[in-house]
């Protein structure tokens, strides 16, 4: 503006300048010198005006506005009101270049409007602005509600790392977000694998502040801090996310924290505890939990079924076939009593009424979920700020929790519900039969299946479960198992048709096992079973091959006397064809598939993992080491869960970094030679221990392995850990004299420091 006036020859500026000097009582000599310099400037000015005129109009506009930041702020405010984010961010950049940050209201409005757009480019710019303000110690410009809204939008868009960072920054600056607010952020974060892991970390970090009554709720100064304390909804969200993405040991850490901070349990939490105990093999805790489930009055049929599904699955995992079969038989007995009860009609009416109520509730939940979804999409920054108690976010978090729970519910159903009554599915029979056969418990298997036939609907002898199991064994070539099953059936007085004997005889003949053929033929005659023509033909052929002509002739005469039709019985072939060809998978087909495809589980590993886990929790590491040696001596290979218990146990004791280093070496050997699989939780626990102890060479090895496996690593946590314990390490120049190991450690520390972003 001054230049424009001078260019137009306006000499009022000179007079204003002289007047200001007189008003300030500047000595006349100084005024004279300044006046001479001013006139010299006016003489040179026309020579450079021509060059300035070549600037673009944009540059001249900036020069004009440089003297008027208030006008720039006004234009920025208008652009935000009109949702012109591109113009708003350009005006913000101009303001930052000239005057620094705009005033507080403008900054928060820019962040809120950018977050509200739910567009990735504006979300990233808003997050970068928050980071810039924090790094330049301008946190006072950022309001708590604005940061909570931004974190919510980041989590909703699928940027959980940025959302978690903002929540952590809020806590660091003591702007504690209420639990009703950060619960919704956690719920959106838990929709992804990395977000679910971070959500559990946040719950553990925040919960640590409240352990063992560290915060006095009676002090008024702690009011905002107490409002942030994790509640049941937050814990449920963290557990649901962990269960959904299989981070079960992290979920167990959250579960262990519950009694230390005094979180109340509800039905949903009890069911998730059941899932967690089943996955981690905590059978004793699952048995204790059963008492609370049986006494609970507000459980729905689906929740009741879900828990017993976990309990039955855990029995099978541990190879406790007695408990599993007892559960199945008890369910069959109760179902039979309910069907035969005189009050069945009343019972059915009540069940139908309950089902109707549940269906109505389900419909209400779906509608409320849809409504919540619509509300989530239309929740503006202004509406969010008006909801001071965050009631909308609280409802949103609860709806998202229900969605998470529906996602992690098990796909393998061992138990179903019919008219409110628990019923075992065909899958559990298949798994039980397979387990009995693999453990060679033939007598127990027959006894179990005989009891099942008594409790279940009666079927024909040739289609009973026992016969189907025998036919399955024959198909797999387990002829000795099939023969043993037949013997046990005969001893139990169970009658069977000729098809099973015929099938087994033909299989023996095919393998030229003449001794077994004679024994089985003798058993069939004792049982009064008439074999078919094909069985006789197979036996005759077997005798001819063995050059037993007389035996072949005797069998031929016996077949003629019996007047058997060659087209005879084909029960076995029909059974197999029925299993393969029918639309509904039959029991035998499922059993065949389970035995051929299903993996054999080493039940002893779960038992020893529980023992080692118990010792590690009690910090009895010497006993844990002895248990590990015993486990190996019995031929059970330790897995990721075993090593995770040991690493966390050593970390809890403190200072046991050498032992963890030895374990790390053993883990690498097992992974290379025996194919042991590392998971995120194990490597994260190892990395935390190495960083805490300053073993940066080993820490970089773990980081490399995690990045190679594309596992999520919480860099913020390790950056904080490094600053807490190694802040002064590697500062300044390196010593002139240092050993090779010291040099390597320093280089490794610098590499790790660069990786976490401290350079």
């Amino acid at each position: 503006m001054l230049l424009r006036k001078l260019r137009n020859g306006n000499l009022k500026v000179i007079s204003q300048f002289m007047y200001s000097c007189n008003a300030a009582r500047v000595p006349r000599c100084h005024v004279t010198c300044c006046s001479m310099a001013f006139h010299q400037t006016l003489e040179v000015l026309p020579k450079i005006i021509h060059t300035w005129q070549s600037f673009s109009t944009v540059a001249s506009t900036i020069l004009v506005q440089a003297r008027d930041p208030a006008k720039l702020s006004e234009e920025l405010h208008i652009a935000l009101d009109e949702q012109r984010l591109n113009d708003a961010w350009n005006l913000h950049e101009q303001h930052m270049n000239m005057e620094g940050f705009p005033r507080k209201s403008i900054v928060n409005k820019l962040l809120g409007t950018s977050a509200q757009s739910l567009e990735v480019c504006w979300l990233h710019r808003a997050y970068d602005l928050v980071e810039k303000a924090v790094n330049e110690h301008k946190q006072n410009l950022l309001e708590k509600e604005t940061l909570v809204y931004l974190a919510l939008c980041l989590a909703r868009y699928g940027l959980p790392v940025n959302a978690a960072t903002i929540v952590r920054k809020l806590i660091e600056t003591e702007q504690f977000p209420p639990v009703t607010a950060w619960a919704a952020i956690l719920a959106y974060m838990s929709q992804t694998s990395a977000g679910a892991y971070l959500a559990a970390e946040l719950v553990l970090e925040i919960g640590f502040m409240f352990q063992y009554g560290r915060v006095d709720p009676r002090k008024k100064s702690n009011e905002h801090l107490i409002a942030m304390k994790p509640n049941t909804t937050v814990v449920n969200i963290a557990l649901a996310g962990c269960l959904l993405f299989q981070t079960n040991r992290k979920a167990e850490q959250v579960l262990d924290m519950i009694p230390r901070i005094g979180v109340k349990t509800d039905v949903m939490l009890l069911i998730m505890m059941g899932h967690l105990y089943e996955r981690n093999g905590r059978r004793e805790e699952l048995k204790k939990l059963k008492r609370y489930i049986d006494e609970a009055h507000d459980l729905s049929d689906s929740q009741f079924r879900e828990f017993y599904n976990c309990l039955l699955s855990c029995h099978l995992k541990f190879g406790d076939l007695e408990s599993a079969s007892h559960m199945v038989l008890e369910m069959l007995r109760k179902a039979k009593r309910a069907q035969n009860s005189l009050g069945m009609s009343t019972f059915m009416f009540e069940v139908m009424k309950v089902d109707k109520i549940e269906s109505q509730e389900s419909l209400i939940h779906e509608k409320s979920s849809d409504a919540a979804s619509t509300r989530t999409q239309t929740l503006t920054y202004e509406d969010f700020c008006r909801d001071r108690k965050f009631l909308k976010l609280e409802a949103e978090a609860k709806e998202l929790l229900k969605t998470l729970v529906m996602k992690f519910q098990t796909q393998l159903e061992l138990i179903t519900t019919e008219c409110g009554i628990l019923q075992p599915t065909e899958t559990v029979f298949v798994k039980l039969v397979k387990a009995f056969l693999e453990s060679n418990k033939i007598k127990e298997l027959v006894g179990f299946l005989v009891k099942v036939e008594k409790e279940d609907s009666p079927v024909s002898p040739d289609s009973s479960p026992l016969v189907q199991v025998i036919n399955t064994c024959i198909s797999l070539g387990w002829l000795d198992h099939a023969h043993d099953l037949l013997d046990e059936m005969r001893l139990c007085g169970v009658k069977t048709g000729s098809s099973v004997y015929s099938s087994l005889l033909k299989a023996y003949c095919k393998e030229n096992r003449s001794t077994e053929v004679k024994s089985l033929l003798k058993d069939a005659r004792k049982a009064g079973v008439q074999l078919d023509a094909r069985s006789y033909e197979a036996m005759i052929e077997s005798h001819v091959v063995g050059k037993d002509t007389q035996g072949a002739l005797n069998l031929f005469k016996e077949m003629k006397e019996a007047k058997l039709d060659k087209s005879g019985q084909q029960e076995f072939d029909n059974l197999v064809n029925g299993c393969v060809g029918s639309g509904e998978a039959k029991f035998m087909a499922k059993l065949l598939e389970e035995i051929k495809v299903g993996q054999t589980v080493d039940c002893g590993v779960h038992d020893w993992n529980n023992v080692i886990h118990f010792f590690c929790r009690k910090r009895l590491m010497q006993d844990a080491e002895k248990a590990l040696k015993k486990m190996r001596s019995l031929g059970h290979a330790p897995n990721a869960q075993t090593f995770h218990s040991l690493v966390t146990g050593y970390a809890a004791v403190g200072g046991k970094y050498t032992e963890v280093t030895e374990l790390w070496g053993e883990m690498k050997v097992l992974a290379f030679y025996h194919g042991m699989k590392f998971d995120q939780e194990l490597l994260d626990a190892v990395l935390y221990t190495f960083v805490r102890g300053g073993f940066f060479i080993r820490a970089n090895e773990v980081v490399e392995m995690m990045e190679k496996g594309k596992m999520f690593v919480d860099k913020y946590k390790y950056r904080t850990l490094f600053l807490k314990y190694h802040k002064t390490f590697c500062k300044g120049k390196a010593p002139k004299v240092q050993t090779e190991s010291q040099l390597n450690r320093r280089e490794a520390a610098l590499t790790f420091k660069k990786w976490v972003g401290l350079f």
Side-chain angles (χ1 to χ4, degrees):
M1 190 68 73
L2 175 63
L3 298 175
R4 193 179 298 170
K5 289 180 179 180
L6 293 173
R7 185 183 63 189
N8 294 335
N10 191 350
L11 297 179
K12 289 183 180 180
V13 177
I14 301 174
S15 62
Q16 290 174 1
F17 174 77
M18 297 297 292
Y19 176 79
S20 62
C21 290
N22 291 331
R25 298 182 180 179
V26 179
R28 187 171 183 81
C29 60
H30 290 177
V31 173
T32 306
C33 293
C34 291
S35 177
M36 292 174 62
F38 196 85
H39 281 285
Q40 289 175 1
T41 303
L42 289 178
E43 291 175 3
V44 177
L45 195 60
K47 298 178 183 179
I48 61 176
I49 282 176
H50 177 72
T51 306
W52 285 8
Q53 285 177 341
S54 64
F55 281 9
S56 65
T57 57
V58 176
S60 64
T61 305
I62 294 174
L63 288 171
V64 171
Q65 292 176 348
R67 296 280 182 164
D68 196 2
K71 186 177 180 182
L72 194 62
S73 295
E74 184 181 351
E75 291 180 6
L76 177 55
H77 194 280
I78 294 170
L80 290 172
D81 286 337
E82 296 175 356
Q83 302 292 318
R84 293 184 287 109
L85 285 172
N86 195 20
D87 294 338
W89 278 103
N90 289 335
L91 291 167
H92 170 73
E93 289 297 328
Q94 293 176 25
H95 201 291
M96 289 292 294
N97 291 332
M98 290 180 288
E99 296 288 335
F101 286 94
R103 63 180 183 269
K104 186 174 183 178
S105 61
I106 296 292
V107 171
N108 286 278
K109 189 174 180 63
L110 178 61
L111 291 174
T113 308
S114 300
Q116 180 181 306
S117 69
L118 285 180
E119 293 184 16
V120 64
C121 57
W122 307 130
L123 286 170
H124 278 303
R125 293 194 73 167
Y127 176 76
D128 293 340
L129 179 58
V130 171
E131 276 201 327
K132 185 177 179 66
V134 171
N135 292 336
E136 295 183 11
H137 306 289
K138 298 284 186 180
Q139 300 97 317
N140 58 330
L141 291 174
L142 306 172
E143 293 181 355
K144 180 172 73 174
E145 289 77 9
T146 305
L147 293 180
V148 170
Y149 184 72
L150 177 58
L152 176 70
C153 294
L154 287 166
R156 188 183 301 167
Y157 192 80
L159 299 171
V161 178
N162 296 346
T165 302
I166 289 180
V167 174
R168 283 165 162 166
K169 292 293 183 185
L170 280 168
I171 297 169
E172 282 181 10
T173 55
E174 297 186 356
Q175 300 184 66
F176 305 116
V179 66
T180 51
W182 66 275
I185 298 172
L186 236 66
Y188 278 110
M189 287 171 57
S190 299
Q191 306 293 326
T192 62
S193 176
Y197 200 84
L198 269 175
E201 288 281 5
L202 274 176
V203 173
L204 289 171
E205 289 172 12
I206 296 173
F208 181 77
M209 302 167 65
F210 299 92
Q211 289 190 37
Y212 306 116
R214 291 176 180 173
V215 180
D216 189 355
R218 296 171 296 180
K219 290 185 178 180
K220 194 173 182 181
S221 58
N222 292 334
E223 182 181 355
H224 294 290
L225 182 58
I226 291 294
M228 187 182 67
K229 182 181 176 181
N231 60 10
T232 308
T233 303
V234 162
V235 171
N236 283 339
I237 290 170
L239 290 177
C242 290
L243 288 169
L244 179 60
F245 295 103
Q246 305 292 325
T247 51
N248 304 314
R249 293 188 291 281
K250 179 64 67 176
E252 195 165 24
Q253 292 178 11
V254 175
L255 205 59
D256 292 340
M257 183 195 68
I258 290 176
R260 296 199 291 266
I261 63 174
V263 174
K264 295 180 180 179
T265 58
D266 61 357
V267 172
M268 187 178 290
L269 181 55
L270 290 176
I271 298 302
M272 282 194 283
M273 288 169 67
H275 279 281
L276 185 59
Y277 289 148
E278 183 270 327
R279 292 190 186 184
N280 289 344
R282 312 290 183 228
R283 191 159 63 123
E284 293 305 316
E285 285 81 354
L286 201 56
K287 288 179 180 178
K288 293 175 186 176
L289 186 61
K290 180 179 179 294
R291 185 181 64 186
Y292 296 99
I293 294 294
D294 291 339
E295 293 175 356
H297 300 289
D298 51 351
L299 251 71
S300 65
D301 284 347
S302 60
Q303 290 173 327
F304 198 67
R305 180 185 69 237
E306 209 171 328
F307 173 78
Y308 274 91
N309 192 83
C310 294
L311 182 59
L312 184 54
S313 177
C314 199
H315 286 321
L316 290 172
K317 185 181 287 187
F318 277 82
D320 188 356
L321 304 181
E322 183 180 354
S323 298
S325 57
H326 177 75
M327 271 188 69
V328 171
L329 291 171
E330 192 64 27
M331 281 187 278
L332 291 174
R333 290 189 192 106
K334 288 182 179 179
K336 189 175 182 180
R337 282 199 301 267
Q339 289 172 358
N340 297 333
S341 174
L342 293 174
M344 186 62 187
S345 57
T346 308
F347 174 78
M348 289 292 293
F349 175 77
E350 292 295 329
V351 167
M352 288 172 65
K353 189 165 69 173
V354 170
D355 289 342
K356 186 177 181 181
I357 291 171
E358 286 188 353
S359 63
Q360 288 175 351
E361 288 178 354
S362 176
L363 186 61
I364 291 169
H365 290 325
E366 289 177 7
K367 288 182 179 178
S368 62
S369 179
D370 294 339
S373 177
T374 306
R375 182 172 63 250
T376 299
Q377 294 173 1
T378 58
L379 186 63
T380 62
Y381 176 58
E382 288 76 13
D383 293 337
F384 175 83
C385 291
R386 280 194 289 268
D387 186 16
R388 290 291 180 181
K389 293 184 178 180
F390 303 105
L391 298 177
K392 292 180 180 179
L393 288 189
E394 186 178 12
E396 209 170 313
K398 290 180 179 178
E399 292 298 333
L400 288 167
L401 173 59
K402 292 174 186 175
T403 307
L404 284 171
V405 170
M406 288 176 65
K407 286 181 180 178
F408 81 76
Q409 284 175 347
T410 179
Q411 299 296 321
L412 181 62
E413 287 292 341
L414 302 178
I415 300 173
T416 186
T417 319
E418 293 180 10
C419 301
I421 306 168
L422 295 179
Q423 294 271 15
T425 62
E426 206 168 50
T427 305
V428 73
F429 286 111
V430 167
K431 289 191 170 292
L432 269 172
V433 168
K434 179 193 175 188
F436 275 121
L437 290 173
E438 286 179 347
S439 57
N440 202 25
K441 295 182 177 179
I442 305 299
K443 183 178 180 180
E444 291 81 355
L445 173 58
V446 173
F448 167 67
L449 291 177
V450 168
K451 291 176 183 177
V452 167
E453 288 185 23
K454 289 179 181 178
E455 302 295 342
D456 208 356
S457 304
V459 293
S460 62
D462 288 331
S463 60
S464 66
L466 265 171
V467 172
Q468 294 187 56
V469 171
I470 293 171
N471 285 329
T472 302
C473 292
I474 294 170
S475 297
L476 294 169
W478 298 354
L479 304 184
D480 292 332
H481 278 325
H483 203 155
D484 292 341
L485 284 166
L486 270 174
D487 290 342
E488 288 296 334
M489 285 176 67
R490 191 177 67 257
L491 291 173
C492 292
V494 180
K495 294 182 179 180
T496 184
S498 62
S499 61
V500 179
Y501 285 94
S502 299
S503 301
L504 186 55
L505 270 170
K506 284 183 275 189
Y508 276 144
C509 292
K510 190 175 181 180
E511 294 187 5
N512 295 322
R513 297 174 64 174
S514 56
T515 306
E516 287 80 358
V517 168
K518 292 176 182 178
S519 175
L520 185 61
L521 184 59
K522 184 179 179 181
D523 293 340
R525 286 168 179 167
K526 283 183 180 179
V529 174
Q530 179 61 60
L531 301 175
D532 61 6
R534 288 190 177 183
S535 300
Y536 276 100
E537 288 175 355
M539 287 188 289
I540 290 169
E541 185 179 350
S542 177
H543 280 285
V544 170
V545 170
K547 297 182 180 180
D548 185 5
T549 310
Q550 188 60 41
L553 287 172
N554 292 336
L555 286 170
F556 182 75
K557 289 177 181 178
E558 188 177 335
M559 184 180 71
K560 286 295 183 181
E561 290 173 359
K563 297 180 181 180
L564 298 175
D565 185 6
K566 286 190 177 183
S567 61
Q569 301 175 10
Q570 300 179 3
E571 288 88 349
F572 178 71
D573 295 335
N574 292 337
L575 180 61
V576 175
N577 293 332
C579 292
V580 177
S582 61
E584 182 182 0
K586 301 294 182 183
F587 176 76
M588 180 179 165
K590 280 192 174 184
L591 183 57
L592 281 167
E593 184 181 0
E594 178 70 23
I595 291 173
K596 289 179 180 178
V597 180
Q599 298 179 350
T600 303
V601 180
D602 186 357
C603 302
V605 173
H606 298 295
D607 287 318
W608 283 106
N609 278 348
N610 275 336
V611 173
I612 293 171
H613 179 72
F614 172 80
F615 287 135
C616 292
R617 285 189 67 178
K618 299 295 183 182
R619 302 187 182 185
L620 303 172
M621 298 311 298
Q622 291 183 347
D623 293 323
E625 291 169 4
K626 292 177 182 177
L628 180 63
K629 290 179 182 178
K630 185 68 175 177
M631 179 182 181
R632 288 200 191 98
S633 66
L634 294 173
H636 303 297
N639 56 15
Q641 187 174 353
T642 317
F643 287 112
H644 184 271
S645 297
L646 290 165
V647 170
T648 52
Y650 283 128
V653 171
K656 300 289 184 178
Y657 305 117
T658 306
E659 288 81 352
V660 176
T661 306
E662 292 174 358
L663 281 177
W664 173 239
E666 185 179 345
M667 283 186 266
K668 289 190 290 185
V669 171
L670 285 173
F672 185 79
Y673 290 104
H674 302 286
M676 190 192 85
K677 291 184 179 180
F678 293 107
D679 57 24
Q680 180 186 3
E681 296 166 287
L682 173 60
L683 292 178
D684 189 61
V686 174
L687 179 58
Y688 186 92
T689 308
F690 283 151
V691 175
R692 171 67 180 83
F695 286 62
F696 294 109
I697 297 175
R698 303 300 177 204
N700 290 334
E701 289 178 7
V702 181
V703 168
E704 183 181 356
M705 187 172 290
M706 293 183 79
E707 290 184 338
K708 187 178 179 181
K710 297 181 180 179
M711 301 176 189
F712 169 73
V713 190
D714 186 5
K715 289 187 179 182
Y716 187 97
K717 178 175 74 173
Y718 291 108
R719 184 162 57 246
T720 306
L721 189 67
F722 187 91
L723 291 173
K724 184 177 181 180
Y725 294 106
H726 313 288
K727 188 175 183 179
T728 58
F729 189 59
C730 297
K731 278 200 169 184
K733 294 182 180 179
K736 292 183 179 179
V737 180
Q738 55 182 340
T739 63
E740 185 178 355
S741 61
Q742 290 174 332
L743 178 64
N744 292 337
R745 184 170 182 260
R746 181 180 177 84
E747 289 178 354
L750 291 172
T751 303
F752 184 83
K753 195 174 179 181
K754 184 178 180 181
W755 176 75
V756 296
L758 288 174
F759 275 157

